[in-house]
C-alpha cells in the first residue's frame, strides 16, 4: 500500500526566501508524481507533473524534482512571495487498485510573511 | 484553459437525506474521478469511472454511494442517506488518459457538503 508523507506540516518564511518542500513515498513503482496547490476552502490547482522517467520539471519560480529510487520528491520555490501562501500537496500516481491511482500526502501549509 | 466545473459549491443537508453532487469534466477527457477531503485530513480516493462504468473504488465507496454519467457532459455522485461523517469537501477530477499520463489530473473547485 502506497503511503505519501510530506514534511514539514507547516512552514513560515519571510518574503524573498527560497524554500524546499519535501514529499516521500513508500512504493517507488510510481507512474508519475503531481504537485498541487490548495488555498483555504478551495480546490486543487495542479502546479507540476513529473513523469517517472523524468528527474525534474520547472514552471516559473517552481522546480520539482523526483528521485524514484529513494522515494522522494521536492518542490523548490524561489524568491517566495506572500501570494505563495497556501497548502502544497504532492500526490503519487500508482497503478490503480482500491487506493485509486492518485495518492495524496497531507500537505505542507506555507505562510510567506511580507 | 479548460476547467472541471462542480456544483453546488456548498450544500447543507439533513442527516438521512439524499444528495447529488454534480460535475462537468473537461470535454475531451475520458476518465473521471471523485475524491473527498474531510477537514484537516488527506484527500482520499472514492471512485474512478471510465466508459460508463466504475473502474476502481475505495473501501469508503460503499452501497450508500453511486456515480452516474447521465448525459454526455455531466458526472454525478449520489449519497443515498447522508451521515454526519459524510461532511467533507468532495472533488471531481478528470484526465484524458488512464493514470493521467503526460497530463495529470485536473480537479474541480469542490463541493463542500455539510450534514447536520
Amino acid at each position: 500500500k502506497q503511503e505519501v508523507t510530506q514534511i514539514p506540516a507547516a512552514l513560515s518564511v519571510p518574503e524573498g526566501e527560497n524554500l524546499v518542500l519535501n514529499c516521500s513515498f513508500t512504493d517507488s513503482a510510481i507512474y508519475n508524481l503531481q504537485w498541487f496547490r490548495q488555498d483555504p476552502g478551495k480546490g486543487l490547482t495542479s502546479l507540476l507533473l513529473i513523469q517517472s522517467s523524468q528527474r525534474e520539471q520547472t514552471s516559473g519560480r517552481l522546480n520539482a524534482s523526483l528521485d524514484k529510487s529513494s522515494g522522494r520528491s521536492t518542490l523548490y520555490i524561489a524568491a517566495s512571495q506572500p501570494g505563495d501562501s497556501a497548502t502544497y500537496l504532492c500526490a503519487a500516481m500508482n497503478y490503480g487498485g482500491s487506493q485509486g491511482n492518485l495518492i495524496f500526502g497531507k500537505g505542507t501549509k506555507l505562510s510567506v510573511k511580507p | 484553459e479548460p476547467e472541471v466545473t462542480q456544483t453546488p459549491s456548498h450544500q447543507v443537508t439533513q442527516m438521512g437525506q439524499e444528495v447529488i453532487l454534480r460535475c462537468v469534466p473537461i470535454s475531451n477527457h475520458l476518465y473521471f474521478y471523485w475524491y473527498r477531503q474531510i477537514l484537516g485530513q488527506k484527500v482520499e480516493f472514492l471512485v474512478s469511472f471510465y466508459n460508463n462504468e466504475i473502474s476502481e473504488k475505495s473501501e469508503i465507496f460503499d452501497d450508500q454511494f453511486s456515480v452516474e454519467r447521465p448525459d454526455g457532459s455531466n458526472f454525478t455522485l449520489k449519497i443515498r442517506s447522508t451521515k454526519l461523517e459524510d461532511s467533507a469537501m468532495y472533488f471531481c477530477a478528470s484526465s484524458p488518459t488512464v493514470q493521467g499520463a503526460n497530463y495529470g489530473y485536473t480537479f474541480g473547485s469542490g463541493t463542500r457538503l455539510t450534514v447536520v
Side-chain angles (χ1 to χ4, degrees), chain A residues 41, chain B residues 6-11 88-90 109-113:
Chain B
Q6 289 187 244
T7 55
S9 57
H10 191 190
Q11 172 118 26
M89 182 76 97
Y90 287 80
S109 55
T111 293
R112 178 164 299 284
L113 177 65

Side-chain angles (χ1 to χ4, degrees), chain B residues 53-115:
Chain B
E53 60 183 29
I54 290 173
S55 306
E56 310 271 10
K57 62 181 181 180
S58 72
E59 295 170 351
I60 303 168
F61 194 88
D62 60 21
D63 292 343
Q64 292 297 313
F65 292 89
S66 63
V67 289
E68 193 177 37
R69 189 154 164 83
D71 52 45
S73 58
N74 289 285
F75 179 50
T76 62
L77 174 69
K78 181 193 291 187
I79 309 175
R80 287 191 182 81
S81 178
T82 50
K83 303 187 283 280
L84 294 176
E85 54 264 38
D86 293 328
S87 295
M89 182 76 97
Y90 287 80
F91 294 109
C92 174
S94 68
S95 65
T97 62
V98 68
Q99 293 155 344
N102 300 322
Y103 302 98
Y105 286 20
T106 302
F107 281 79
S109 55
T111 293
R112 178 164 299 284
L113 177 65
T114 303
V115 182

